[in-house]
Amino acid sequence: MVNKKYWNYRVSLFDIVGNNPLNEADKKNEIGLNMENIVVGWEEWVTLPELGLPALKAKTDTGARTSALHAFSIQPFGSEKKPFVRFGIHPVPDNPDIEVFCSARVVDRREVTSSNGQKELRYVIKTPIIIGKRKWDIEITLTNRGNMAYRMLLGRTALEEIAVQPTQSFIQGQLSYRLYDKIARQKPIKRPLRIAVLTREPNNFSTRRLVEEAEKRNHVIELIDTKRCYLNIQSHNPEVHYDGKPLPVFDVVIPRIGASLTFYGMAVVRQFEAMGTFCLNSAASIGASRDKLAAHQILARHRIPMPTTAFANSPKDTNSLLSLVGGAPTVLKLLQSTQGRGVVLAETKKAGEAVISAFQGLDAHFIAQEFVKEAAGSDVRCFVVGKKVVGAMMRTADAEDFRSNLHAGGKAKRVALSKEEKAIAIRSANVLGLTVAGVDLIRTETGSKVLEVNSSPGLEGLEKTSRKNVAEKIIEYIENNVSSTVRQSRKTR
Ligand code: ADP
């Protein structure tokens, strides 16, 4: 018999705990979930709160010793001392579009003989279960045995102190799969994430800081050499391979793609996107920011202030180009320039013509820009994460130079940003689609303007100067934005 009163209780329970029912196991204890004696039928609705599974239909199977979950993509990660396993579940049997990814500490590996007599070595995890008013820890093995009608089997050890009434079902009340619609809108479950950093520089400051902060917060972070990834491009099962094997499925990829590897790096990031992995900056946003000319055009279209900038191709237009940006002195920038290399100040019209002629002779594309003299060799780097500026510094050029890049000998110091500057930085990252960005502003007589937006900004100068923990902010952002629920239609965003 279904206990109606209790069903109401279960529904209101999820309402009471509000934002994130699944992370609020403690609150549930406060409101009376504990070691109550219960009787279960041959099938029951269960909640696995720490795995982010609010509702699963389980079948009691007293013929089996340990409980089992039918999962897919079961992949171990972490270290020998601290092993984890990541796996996916389709909690709703007839809706494979809803996938929930879970991770848990591995407590054992065990050989299990399944009902059809097959022996299988399975990962064992330990996690709380809630049935009706009772909550207790159980061991669960993970198995991938095709499409079973029940995603979970409740074995003898989980039911040691619980009476089973095999002729009845759902004695402990009904839950609903509609709860999965709700969790997609709620804050993600705090769980150990499997993070990959795509980088060619495993030992540089930025990489080390990301590893340090991720590990401090109990995540497992792996460094992947972007150039060594190769791609298996197929519609049904896209994969990234590395050293002869497919890479596991990561929860998150942090791309740190250097300018020289933009084309290949974007392809790798795109592939991870196709696999449904959350990429901190998308391939498209990296591409948009790397193409300086396209980035300027996008920023301009969104009315983001920039120094007057012009682009031309034919030598016949050199004069007009220079006058468009206000005549000499003029800044000329090669489109491929990074770290200030390929950025030239032409003090006179003659010098401008000579540089342009040299660039054109080499078939190199460039932009011309008004020279902001009043900046006196300084610019301001704003580090954006999500919708916030999490740190800033002012860089000032060496006395002999007008370029403030630290690589070109510039010096960094702390700086306070105005409200407008913060808004410009956030909007610039936003319109290019970047979650993490270094936005360079130049302070002019008519307000701060954007010089460029960098999709893999370094942490070293910024963290040391601003004394802000930028790496931690990045990991926090990831924690708050990696959902454990995926719908097929959203996968290929
Ligand atoms: P890069 O991508 O190579 O760093 P930038 O456009 O950022 O190229 O230019 C490098 C540096 O040159 C900037 O950090 C700034 O100090 C200086 N600079 C660039 N454009 C101007 C400009 N229009 N007026 C004055 N200084 C500039």
Side-chain angles (χ1 to χ4, degrees):
M1 182 193 71
V2 172
N3 181 339
K4 282 237 174 69
K5 191 165 152 243
Y6 188 51
W7 183 80
N8 288 337
Y9 168 66
R10 288 300 292 275
V11 172
S12 60
L13 178 67
F14 281 102
D15 291 336
I16 295 164
V17 292
N19 281 347
N20 190 353
L22 299 165
N23 263 350
E24 308 267 340
D26 292 344
K27 279 194 195 161
K28 286 181 181 177
N29 275 334
E30 278 163 31
I31 52 178
L33 273 171
N34 49 40
M35 299 301 283
E36 296 226 357
N37 275 328
I38 56 167
V39 178
V40 298
W42 68 272
E43 53 177 351
E44 287 294 342
W45 283 95
V46 311
T47 302
L48 300 175
E50 286 182 12
L51 299 183
L53 297 165
L56 278 181
K57 260 187 211 171
K59 190 169 105 175
T60 51
D61 180 6
T62 46
R65 220 170 76 80
T66 319
S67 304
L69 260 182
H70 293 290
F72 60 91
S73 299
I74 304 171
Q75 287 170 347
F77 66 105
S79 62
E80 230 170 274
K81 272 198 191 140
K82 222 174 162 189
F84 292 95
V85 61
R86 181 186 191 275
F87 52 95
I89 296 221
H90 293 129
V92 187
D94 50 8
N95 186 355
D97 281 358
I98 300 180
E99 296 179 353
V100 178
F101 286 93
C102 315
S103 52
R105 270 296 281 274
V106 173
V107 296
D108 197 6
R109 284 198 82 180
R110 231 172 263 163
E111 194 162 61
V112 177
T113 312
S114 61
S115 51
N116 59 13
Q118 256 176 4
K119 282 196 165 104
E120 190 189 13
L121 192 60
R122 295 185 190 169
Y123 292 100
V124 185
I125 60 168
K126 193 169 186 176
T127 194
I129 186 170
I130 301 172
I131 304 183
K133 278 189 182 178
R134 182 172 169 133
K135 178 179 169 217
W136 72 107
D137 281 347
I138 65 167
E139 283 191 349
I140 301 176
T141 65
L142 303 173
T143 176
N144 186 353
R145 285 196 298 138
N147 240 347
M148 307 290 283
Y150 290 87
R151 291 298 180 255
M152 184 167 185
L153 296 179
L154 273 172
R156 282 194 306 280
T157 47
L159 301 170
E160 257 162 12
E161 295 154 35
I162 288 163
V164 180
Q165 180 54 267
T167 56
Q168 291 185 24
S169 54
F170 306 126
I171 300 176
Q172 294 302 324
Q174 299 280 352
L175 292 175
S176 160
Y177 288 132
R178 283 204 310 269
L179 288 165
Y180 288 95
D181 296 336
K182 241 178 148 183
I183 62 168
R185 277 179 268 121
Q186 283 162 350
K187 268 193 140 191
I189 309 295
K190 290 272 176 287
R191 64 184 172 103
L193 295 169
R194 187 168 195 181
I195 304 172
V197 183
L198 282 179
T199 178
R200 301 234 53 223
E201 298 176 332
N203 296 318
N204 85 0
F205 182 91
S206 307
T207 316
R208 281 190 283 117
R209 287 285 301 124
L210 288 167
V211 169
E212 202 169 273
E213 291 303 326
E215 288 182 344
K216 236 191 239 168
R217 301 168 79 93
N218 243 331
H219 303 300
V220 174
I221 183 160
E222 291 156 62
L223 306 179
I224 307 282
D225 180 351
T226 322
K227 227 175 169 171
R228 294 288 316 279
C229 293
Y230 53 102
L231 315 176
N232 180 2
I233 303 165
Q234 16 168 314
S235 58
H236 63 283
N237 187 25
E239 287 174 333
V240 176
H241 286 241
Y242 195 88
D243 238 355
K245 285 195 279 291
L247 280 175
V249 182
F250 293 100
D251 292 298
V252 185
V253 162
I254 304 179
R256 307 270 320 162
I257 310 287
S260 59
L261 208 67
T262 303
F263 176 78
Y264 197 73
M266 278 170 64
V268 175
V269 174
R270 253 194 317 270
Q271 187 80 352
F272 279 112
E273 288 169 11
M275 292 164 68
T277 302
F278 175 86
C279 296
L280 197 53
N281 277 336
S282 67
S285 67
I286 296 169
S289 63
R290 279 293 153 74
D291 180 339
K292 279 194 191 201
L293 183 60
H296 275 79
Q297 289 174 308
I298 296 170
L299 295 172
R301 197 170 76 207
H302 288 88
R303 296 175 195 280
I304 289 169
M306 283 180 311
T308 308
T309 305
F311 177 66
N313 187 37
S314 165
K316 289 185 193 143
D317 301 317
T318 298
N319 267 332
S320 316
L321 183 75
L322 288 173
S323 53
L324 261 187
V325 296
T330 310
V331 178
L332 298 163
K333 302 183 183 181
L334 282 177
L335 287 181
Q336 304 95 310
S337 112
T338 56
Q339 303 174 349
R341 288 187 287 255
V343 177
V344 181
L345 175 62
E347 308 252 12
T348 62
K349 185 163 175 259
K350 270 260 158 301
E353 287 166 357
V355 174
I356 290 176
S357 153
F359 285 171
Q360 284 171 335
L362 294 168
D363 271 338
H365 287 302
F366 64 94
I367 50 176
Q369 201 165 60
E370 71 174 291
F371 175 54
V372 182
K373 187 159 185 273
E374 62 272 26
S378 291
D379 74 355
V380 175
R381 159 63 58 95
C382 312
F383 203 110
V384 177
V385 177
K387 301 257 178 290
K388 280 200 188 114
V389 177
V390 297
M393 64 176 168
M394 176 176 266
R395 300 175 297 193
T396 304
D398 194 67
E400 306 286 298
D401 208 327
F402 77 103
R403 296 163 306 169
S404 57
N405 306 66
L406 300 185
H407 291 92
K411 296 273 173 298
K413 64 172 193 226
R414 293 179 83 172
V415 66
L417 298 180
S418 68
K419 242 170 92 180
E420 290 74 37
E421 286 175 320
K422 284 186 190 164
I424 292 173
I426 294 164
R427 243 172 80 70
S428 304
N430 206 324
V431 298
L432 292 172
L434 293 166
T435 303
V436 169
V439 181
D440 294 342
L441 301 179
I442 190 159
R443 288 179 165 170
T444 81
E445 276 164 355
T446 50
S448 289
K449 298 181 179 173
V450 177
L451 279 184
E452 77 158 336
V453 183
N454 192 320
S455 60
S456 290
L459 300 186
E460 185 165 14
L462 201 107
E463 281 201 335
K464 287 183 177 163
T465 312
S466 67
R467 299 206 200 100
K468 295 269 169 57
N469 191 338
V470 174
E472 182 183 45
K473 296 281 178 224
I474 294 176
I475 305 296
E476 263 176 22
Y477 179 89
I478 289 172
E479 287 171 356
N480 291 332
N481 286 276
V482 176
S483 166
S484 54
T485 316
V486 182
R487 281 185 175 70
Q488 222 73 36
S489 54
R490 289 195 326 204
K491 255 188 170 180
T492 45
R493 254 179 316 173

